[in-house]
Amino acid sequence: MAQTITFSRNVFLPLTNVCANACGYCSFKSPVRDGCVMPESEVLATLRRGSEFGCTEALFTFGERPENEPGFGQHIEKIGYPDILSYCMAMSRAAIDLGMLPHTNAGILTYEEMERLRTVNASMGLMLETTAEVPAHRHSPGKDPAVRIQMIADAGKLKIPFTTGLLLGVGETAADREESLMVIRDLQKQYGHIQEVIIQNFCPKPGTEMADTPGATANSIRETLIMAAEILPKSISIQIPPNLADASALLSCGVRDLGGVSPVTIDYINPEHPWPALDALRGIASGYELRERLCVYPQYCNAEWVSPELLPLVQSLSKQTYDL
């Protein structure tokens, strides 16, 4: 029987690119200016389009702590919300009304903020990236490894199905990657909430501090995937982004998931790397059984892990997707 490779059909919604961090490799961050918040009309139109294309996941992102950037508050207040988290919650409810499950990647959130967001999010995520102190993060307080580890632990305490991962090629060593994977392993043993780990290769972007830094080699990606398969519990699905690496050549290294792929929106973090069309995804997974999944994995589709507001939709979609 062929091994199963999964993916999620999603719609990607960057609510703002304003961010308090300034990572050496990032081209996502933008200054505070008119139009720095995605208009509600555009969010709703994109959600409706996603629903028409059968998307089951609404992926919300925004820069970390945008309110810390001078002048941002007036832009979010202009569209009728006191802060970006309130806006994200409102748009999450709009996604739920259209039959999609919200998943939010928002950088560092407090325990209390995640507790609020959990009511309308089926899952959440935060890339650990690395436990190493690297120059690429010297202007990014939110990339302090201890702060990120604490947030992942808090998500576990709150029973939030969670995604994390490593970013390869940003100045870390092979030993750092091993340590990062062991930290994730230990968090999973304690809380059991990590459903997937992304092994993502850094891609150099023009105009950034690291524009001339070579990305992770194919060999280092392969070695890290093999290491992840050896270190991480089997309950965690290992993911490789099919638009950033030659996924078809890496599936045999312990990969079980191709992440979120959108038939509607681009990858706003890596816009120069388009997602493969769903037909192309089948070619990438040739020799494997390609199966669609939700942003919340089967073992978490219950009242212990899903809020009462979301549980009916999760149960309905899990019957269609997982036959639960």
Side-chain angles (χ1 to χ4, degrees):
M1 189 178 196
Q3 178 187 329
T4 299
I5 301 293
T6 57
F7 76 98
S8 170
R9 191 187 308 234
N10 74 13
V11 58
F12 196 148
L13 298 135
L15 298 183
T16 185
N17 292 49
V18 176
C19 184
N21 292 329
C23 299
Y25 46 78
C26 179
S27 63
F28 179 78
K29 178 184 171 91
S30 66
V32 176
R33 59 190 175 195
D34 288 343
C36 65
V37 178
M38 191 176 190
E40 189 168 342
S41 59
E42 185 178 346
V43 175
L44 296 175
T46 306
L47 286 171
R48 286 191 290 269
R49 185 164 165 78
S51 178
E52 291 167 1
F53 275 81
C55 297
T56 59
E57 174 186 357
L59 170 60
F60 292 99
T61 64
F62 46 92
E64 186 171 301
R65 296 287 170 209
E67 282 90 359
N68 289 355
E69 295 294 284
F72 177 78
Q74 68 185 46
H75 291 278
I76 194 71
E77 290 168 7
K78 189 186 297 183
I79 62 170
Y81 296 91
D83 50 52
I84 193 69
L85 190 65
S86 298
Y87 185 36
C88 183
M89 291 184 69
M91 296 302 94
S92 293
R93 287 194 168 97
I96 294 166
D97 289 343
L98 287 165
M100 286 178 283
L101 299 174
H103 171 100
T104 297
N105 293 335
I108 297 299
L109 297 172
T110 65
Y111 184 97
E112 292 74 21
E113 287 169 333
M114 282 194 290
E115 190 173 31
R116 282 180 61 200
L117 197 54
R118 182 189 187 276
T119 61
V120 291
N121 266 235
S123 56
M124 298 182 208
L126 176 77
M127 292 288 281
L128 173 58
E129 295 196 9
T130 178
T131 53
E133 301 281 354
V134 294
H137 292 158
R138 64 182 177 273
H139 301 303
S140 301
K143 294 299 175 75
D144 180 339
V147 173
R148 297 178 90 76
I149 291 167
Q150 183 59 57
M151 179 177 153
I152 299 169
D154 285 344
K157 295 171 188 175
L158 286 165
K159 295 284 187 181
I160 297 171
F162 210 76
T163 296
T164 189
L166 275 58
L167 186 59
L168 310 186
V170 294
E172 83 294 348
T173 66
D176 294 330
R177 296 169 189 168
E178 182 177 17
E179 180 183 62
S180 300
L181 289 166
M182 290 191 292
V183 166
I184 294 170
R185 175 201 64 193
D186 293 344
L187 287 164
Q188 177 69 350
K189 285 182 177 179
Q190 186 169 4
Y191 300 109
H193 66 308
I194 299 173
Q195 45 184 12
E196 57 191 7
V197 166
I198 307 168
I199 304 300
Q200 181 172 326
N201 50 302
F202 147 71
C203 297
K205 293 176 170 55
T208 65
E209 288 181 19
M210 296 177 65
D212 298 323
T213 302
T217 66
N219 191 51
S220 64
I221 299 170
R222 179 179 295 276
E223 289 176 352
T224 307
L225 286 168
I226 292 170
M227 188 191 304
E230 292 172 348
I231 291 173
L232 298 175
K234 299 303 180 189
S235 58
I236 293 177
S237 187
I238 298 172
Q239 180 187 126
I240 189 80
N243 61 323
L244 303 181
D246 183 4
S248 60
L250 297 168
L251 295 183
S252 62
C253 299
V255 174
R256 287 160 45 197
D257 187 74
L258 294 172
V261 176
S262 181
V264 175
T265 53
I266 64 170
D267 180 349
Y268 288 95
I269 307 298
N270 298 283
E272 71 279 15
H273 295 281
W275 277 309
L278 297 183
D279 285 345
L281 211 59
R282 295 185 184 93
I284 290 170
S286 178
Y288 297 85
E289 180 185 358
L290 185 66
R291 187 177 297 173
E292 196 165 342
R293 62 163 174 83
L294 305 177
C295 67
V296 54
Y297 280 54
Q299 63 268 37
Y300 301 101
C301 292
N302 55 64
E304 180 182 6
W305 292 93
V306 178
S307 74
E309 187 169 345
L310 264 170
L311 190 58
L313 179 57
V314 167
Q315 290 177 329
S316 174
L317 290 174
S318 64
K319 286 178 183 176
Q320 302 169 36
T321 307
Y322 303 133
D323 196 27
L324 294 180

